[in-house]
Amino acid sequence: MQHSRFVLGVVGGATAMAAVAGVITYVLAGKDLQHTTLDRLGLKVKVDGHPAVDRTILEARIEGWYNPLPWIGRKIHDVSCPAHLKAVVGTEEMCTARTDDGRVSIPVRVVRIEGDPTKVKVFWKFER
């Protein structure tokens, strides 16, 4: 009887810890959604006549947010994006980064645009 209670307690505790880790992971994964207000930064980068997020911003944010917890993503460095991210919903770019094992591809996508043409707020997301 005591043995089964102990096992039940261990299983229940492990399940609770896994649930808490899952909630923390979900909350931090939401941080992958970045936003950049283009006029406030003074950047006048354009791609095909559209305002764009400068690739150096993409690289810095991805490197800073890619690995917030040990069980999410990989440890990366030397993030490189080949082009600026055009401020058009659905636009995708493929950035790369170095890991201890080699290179990893990181898709980046524009998910939402807010504001007027003089003050564009671009919401973009990268995948792990």
Side-chain angles (χ1 to χ4, degrees):
M1 185 82 160
Q2 290 287 63
H3 179 67
S4 63
R5 283 187 182 175
F6 175 75
V7 170
L8 184 61
V10 169
V11 170
T15 303
M17 288 184 68
V20 168
V23 168
I24 291 170
T25 300
Y26 177 79
V27 168
L28 288 175
K31 298 283 187 180
D32 292 352
L33 181 64
Q34 304 289 320
H35 71 276
T36 305
T37 303
L38 299 180
D39 78 323
R40 188 171 26 176
L41 297 174
L43 300 173
K44 302 298 180 195
V45 178
K46 290 194 179 256
V47 173
D48 297 332
H50 294 275
V53 179
D54 190 287
R55 68 190 200 122
T56 58
I57 292 173
L58 299 173
E59 293 164 352
R61 295 254 186 96
I62 291 169
E63 191 158 340
W65 281 103
Y66 192 83
N67 192 29
L69 293 173
W71 59 85
I72 300 178
R74 300 179 186 170
K75 187 171 178 92
I76 62 169
H77 54 90
D78 298 333
V79 176
S80 175
C81 298
H84 306 301
L85 184 64
K86 183 168 46 172
V88 174
V89 174
T91 298
E92 293 186 16
E93 291 293 336
M94 186 67 69
C95 298
T96 60
R98 292 193 183 280
T99 67
D100 292 341
D101 302 335
R103 295 194 69 76
V104 63
S105 296
I106 305 169
V108 180
R109 177 175 38 91
V110 175
V111 295
R112 187 169 80 230
I113 304 289
E114 290 180 359
D116 59 58
T118 62
K119 187 176 182 180
V120 178
K121 191 172 194 177
V122 182
F123 291 84
W124 54 277
K125 185 173 180 87
F126 62 88
E127 303 297 328
R128 295 180 190 279

